[in-house]
Amino acid sequence: MSDSIQIKVADSHLYPGCAVRIAHLPEPARGAAAIVEFADGSGARATCNLRAHDELELTVDGYATQKRHPVDARHWLLLAVDATHNSWRVKRRLP
């Protein structure tokens, strides 16, 4: 997955309000493979879809934190924080 989107999370897991950095975005209405890097050094595979200009759906596979706490696969809605679309915040968990 060398062409995967790199997503950096400011914590060991995602939750509403969590800060996220994304270097470049997927094409609108297309799923893109992603690698999520968490602040504790753990990581997970994911898929992201740009829903609107400032909304991104992120589906993260299950993973384990560095302290070996399992985290189930989850689906999230992220909102852009700035006009460059490099900074995002998790708005809420999606069903």
Side-chain angles (χ1 to χ4, degrees):
M1 268 200 223
S2 59
D3 59 346
S4 295
I5 294 169
Q6 298 295 314
I7 299 174
K8 296 188 183 229
V9 178
D11 207 334
S12 62
H13 61 284
L14 291 164
Y15 52 86
C18 182
V20 175
R21 305 262 317 148
I22 303 173
H24 67 278
L25 294 173
E27 303 251 341
R30 283 188 49 197
I35 299 294
V36 181
E37 298 173 10
F38 295 94
D40 69 348
S42 60
R45 294 186 184 273
T47 304
C48 56
N49 290 298
L50 195 58
R51 281 178 33 161
H53 180 65
D54 60 351
E55 289 185 343
L56 184 76
E57 281 185 49
L58 181 65
T59 304
V60 181
D61 293 349
Y63 69 98
T65 66
Q66 284 293 351
K67 292 185 179 181
R68 299 195 174 145
H69 295 288
V71 179
D72 292 335
R74 295 214 168 106
H75 191 185
W76 299 96
L77 177 64
L78 282 64
L79 296 178
V81 174
D82 62 13
T84 66
H85 291 89
N86 288 329
S87 296
W88 296 78
R89 289 240 182 246
V90 176
K91 177 166 181 164
R92 63 184 165 91
R93 193 168 152 195
L94 296 171

